Amino acid sequence: MSKTTNGKMQNGGPKADLQSTDGRMTFLLFLSVFISVFGSPFQYGYSTSVVNAPAELMQDFYKKSFYNFTGGELADDGLTVLWSTTVSIYCLGGLIGSLLVGPLASKIGRKGTILFNNIFSLSAAALMFGARFANSYHMIILGRTIVGIHNGLSIGVVPMYLSEISPPNLRGGIGVTSQLLTTIGILVAQILGLDFILGNEQLWHYLLLVGYIVPSGIQLLILPFLPESPRYLLIDKDSKEKATEVLQKLRGEENVEAVLEDMKVEYENQRKEPTMNIFSLLRSRTLRSQLICCVLVMAGQQFSGINAIFFYSTSIYEKAGVPKEYSPYATIGTGAINVFMTIVSVLVIDITGRKVLLTWPLVFMTLAFAILTVTQGLSEYLYCVCGCSQGITPNGTLMGDVCHFMNETGNYEETIATLNTTDPYAWIAYLSIVFIILYIIAFAIGLGPIPFIITTEMFRQGARPAAMMLVGSTNWISNFIVGLLFPLAQDKIGAFVFLFFMVVCGLTCAFVWIKVPETKHKTFEEIQRLFGGQDDDGGNDWGVGNDGYIPDSSKKSSKYEITTTL
């Protein structure tokens, strides 16, 4: 470890280095974190879950709206297409929003972008809420697109803002708050979607309003009075006075010279490398290791099967004997576990480190999918009531929830009401529930919150916006692919779809263990040295992240040997 002094690296030991840049949680820092995550990532979580509960009510509205516009009935296939469009176009909006992160964050700042982003949220809420009064399903689809843009922007720019206002010793925990509010948003949408609250025929359209105007309204009222990122002010705007003033307020102390010195080192290195766009970042050889780490970990998050777990959870609860009318409460319980374990991640990430919280939970996720493949496979193939060789009526035909069989006259006769449908293998579902909960605990504490955190940590100021754009795009494209292909795969191979997710979790675990470095308690410049970006004792710069700046390797100091390569 080393200590930053006047832009040079001198031996000072770990303790000296930590004392030079560490900080404490002040009220202003807490308020800045809370308002930024409540107004933005909360809405991301809310949006992913809000249309699940009122899906049938909204589809009935689509039929009425279609008839109002065309005078004809909407066929089932047409309804499927419209509803699939409503769900999937959200990902398209998210992709567009992720591509706006770099230009906006560099042009109007991190705080400015978060404030500007509320335009998308409020306009989307107005469209979706007003759709019922205008009797137009088109407005819901357009609103979902716009709210996707908002969410794509927010999950890119908010982690940047959090990482840049946080001291190194708190950066991990503060970074996880973004994912924490996402999980809270999911839980709030599930609760508000209950039939006796807003998930009913009279009030479902309010679900598309309250989860947006409340957080956006609070953010618009308070965030203008909170500070901009000091790194943005110093490095992007070259305003040392404003950066010093903001740092003093955020840290709650007058002496912030050690922090400024660390930022100056990054600033000097920043001057040697241009502000990068996506294409220059993709071409950069010196930043390729960081980029591959972040992109693959993010892809691993989306392909880790979390959506499959939530898809299966309701049916598994029903198999375990939970009455169908109570299954939404079981799903809410699952969401509450997700929130609780993300809180645990906030508390422990700066103690255990990022790599540990990625690796070991991925081991448990891999194991959970292996067990779930067996338990769900047994549940699907050991026993069924109707239309299978091991069922009570092997010659029956299942139509909806009713089993029919042909009587002596050749007519179908309903029999489900007179059958004993008790499943002797219901205990397997209880085992499945245990491993679903273990999976959610592992995901929430590790792979859920950490990918965006390490992305903000592994790049300097000039490359950070472009990196967030690429990683955010990976998030949305992967999300879209999973949403498109998972239902098809599940329909064809059933529980064996878990095998794919098991392999993904296993490979992601191996990759993290071998290639991803630990960034706990390190400054941004120290993290660059893990990938070969540093100054040697002679003042020569190495690995500044610019292909146009490649030093003579014969002069390289062995003191800063590159520790991570891909």
Side-chain angles (χ1 to χ4, degrees):
M1 194 71 71
S2 54
K3 183 175 181 179
T4 305
T5 307
N6 298 325
K8 302 296 180 184
M9 307 304 302
Q10 297 177 356
N11 294 334
K15 186 173 181 179
D17 182 56
L18 290 176
Q19 288 177 340
S20 67
T21 56
D22 273 10
R24 58 187 176 88
M25 179 63 74
T26 62
F27 176 75
L28 181 61
L29 178 58
F30 171 82
L31 189 62
S32 300
V33 170
F34 176 75
I35 294 301
S36 61
V37 296
F38 177 64
S40 299
F42 173 88
Q43 295 186 48
Y44 170 52
Y46 187 87
S47 299
T48 60
S49 182
V50 69
V51 297
N52 294 341
E56 293 184 7
L57 297 171
M58 293 177 68
Q59 289 173 27
D60 288 340
F61 169 75
Y62 275 35
K63 292 178 182 178
K64 296 173 183 177
S65 176
F66 184 85
Y67 182 82
N68 180 63
F69 276 96
T70 66
E73 298 291 334
L74 180 60
D76 289 343
D77 289 345
L79 177 62
T80 301
V81 170
L82 283 179
W83 186 248
S84 298
T85 301
T86 303
V87 174
S88 61
I89 205 167
Y90 168 72
C91 293
L92 175 62
L95 178 60
I96 295 171
S98 67
L99 295 175
L100 294 175
V101 170
L104 288 176
S106 299
K107 186 70 176 178
I108 62 177
R110 282 50 164 159
K111 186 181 85 169
T113 302
I114 295 172
L115 285 169
F116 174 81
N117 200 21
N118 285 290
I119 295 174
F120 296 116
S121 174
L122 295 175
S123 59
L127 280 169
M128 293 187 291
F129 179 72
R132 184 165 190 178
F133 301 98
N135 201 14
S136 170
Y137 67 85
H138 311 82
M139 293 171 65
I140 293 179
I141 295 176
L142 179 59
R144 286 283 291 177
T145 307
I146 296 174
V147 84
I149 296 174
H150 170 274
N151 294 167
L153 251 175
S154 69
I155 65 172
V157 72
V158 171
M160 262 199 294
Y161 178 71
L162 297 180
S163 70
E164 293 175 9
I165 67 173
S166 307
N169 61 308
L170 300 178
R171 193 171 60 228
I174 288 176
V176 175
T177 59
S178 179
Q179 178 67 14
L180 173 61
L181 267 291
T182 297
T183 61
I184 292 175
I186 293 172
L187 182 61
V188 169
Q190 291 170 341
I191 294 172
L192 293 180
L194 291 172
D195 180 70
F196 67 91
I197 302 180
L198 295 179
N200 52 63
E201 172 63 29
Q202 293 75 32
L203 300 174
W204 64 262
H205 53 298
Y206 283 93
L207 279 170
L208 307 178
L209 179 69
V210 295
Y212 301 105
I213 63 168
V214 173
S216 284
I218 292 174
Q219 190 174 76
L220 285 171
L221 285 174
I222 300 177
L223 188 60
F225 303 101
L226 299 177
E228 174 61 273
S229 159
R231 286 183 179 272
Y232 172 78
L233 293 173
L234 178 66
I235 298 176
D236 290 80
K237 291 301 181 182
D238 196 18
S239 177
K240 180 182 177 181
E241 293 78 12
K242 289 184 179 179
T244 303
E245 180 183 352
V246 165
L247 272 173
Q248 289 171 338
K249 291 179 179 179
L250 285 171
R251 296 296 182 100
E253 54 189 33
E254 292 296 319
N255 184 9
V256 292
E257 286 303 314
V259 185
L260 285 172
E261 287 299 324
D262 175 66
M263 292 168 61
K264 287 176 185 177
V265 173
E266 183 177 358
Y267 176 58
E268 292 301 320
N269 288 328
Q270 175 73 14
R271 294 174 61 187
K272 300 184 181 77
E273 56 183 12
T275 298
M276 290 187 167
N277 56 35
I278 286 180
F279 301 105
S280 59
L281 179 58
L282 288 172
R283 291 194 300 266
S284 173
R285 286 176 293 161
T286 50
L287 293 178
R288 193 160 296 156
S289 295
Q290 293 98 305
L291 186 61
I292 291 175
C293 280
C294 296
V295 167
L296 288 185
V297 172
M298 177 56 71
Q301 181 205 65
Q302 289 299 308
F303 286 104
S304 68
I306 185 65
N307 295 324
I309 287 292
F310 280 110
F311 178 87
Y312 264 94
S313 60
T314 300
S315 64
I316 292 174
Y317 291 142
E318 291 177 7
K319 281 181 178 291
V322 177
K324 190 172 184 178
E325 61 269 23
Y326 293 118
S327 59
Y329 296 97
T331 302
I332 288 173
T334 305
I337 293 172
N338 197 11
V339 171
F340 176 76
M341 294 312 301
T342 307
I343 293 174
V344 172
S345 184
V346 171
L347 299 176
V348 303
I349 188 172
D350 284 312
I351 300 172
T352 61
R354 287 69 161 145
K355 188 165 184 171
V356 171
L357 285 188
L358 278 174
T359 307
W360 289 109
L362 276 166
V363 172
F364 284 108
M365 290 162 66
T366 305
L367 175 63
F369 274 129
I371 301 298
L372 285 169
T373 302
V374 176
T375 58
Q376 284 302 102
L378 290 174
S379 295
E380 291 179 2
Y381 293 101
L382 270 182
Y383 178 81
C384 67
V385 174
C386 180
C388 45
S389 59
Q390 70 273 34
I392 297 174
T393 56
N395 297 322
T397 302
L398 190 64
M399 299 179 182
D401 293 329
V402 179
C403 186
H404 298 258
F405 74 97
M406 195 172 292
N407 59 20
E408 295 177 356
T409 63
N411 296 319
Y412 281 113
E413 195 173 274
E414 295 185 8
T415 63
I416 194 70
T418 62
L419 294 176
N420 177 15
T421 58
T422 302
D423 185 353
Y425 301 102
W427 63 270
I428 297 177
Y430 291 103
L431 188 60
S432 297
I433 290 175
V434 170
F435 280 94
I436 281 179
I437 293 173
L438 288 175
Y439 172 91
I440 291 172
I441 288 172
F443 180 87
I445 203 170
L447 196 58
I450 293 179
F452 276 114
I453 294 176
I454 63 173
T455 302
T456 62
E457 292 179 329
M458 288 187 179
F459 295 89
R460 285 202 184 102
Q461 198 83 357
R464 196 173 294 133
M468 293 302 294
M469 289 166 65
L470 278 171
V471 172
S473 299
T474 302
N475 175 286
W476 291 104
I477 293 172
S478 301
N479 196 342
F480 176 77
I481 292 172
V482 171
L484 182 68
L485 297 183
F486 170 72
L488 299 175
Q490 187 272 334
D491 184 60
K492 295 294 183 183
I493 62 176
F496 290 108
V497 73
F498 286 144
L499 289 174
F500 169 77
F501 298 124
M502 181 188 73
V503 171
V504 170
C505 289
L507 291 176
T508 305
C509 180
F511 176 80
V512 170
W513 180 259
I514 296 171
K515 295 297 183 182
V516 177
E518 180 56 70
T519 58
K520 178 183 70 172
H521 290 179
K522 291 180 173 62
T523 66
F524 291 119
E525 282 304 301
E526 289 169 342
I527 293 169
Q528 290 303 305
R529 291 197 296 277
L530 295 175
F531 292 95
Q534 70 285 314
D535 297 344
D536 69 11
D537 292 335
N540 298 311
D541 300 305
W542 312 107
V544 294
N546 182 355
D547 282 347
Y549 189 84
I550 303 174
D552 181 0
S553 59
S554 64
K555 298 179 182 179
K556 185 171 180 179
S557 168
S558 61
K559 178 180 177 180
Y560 299 115
E561 182 180 358
I562 298 176
T563 59
T564 302
T565 57
L566 291 174

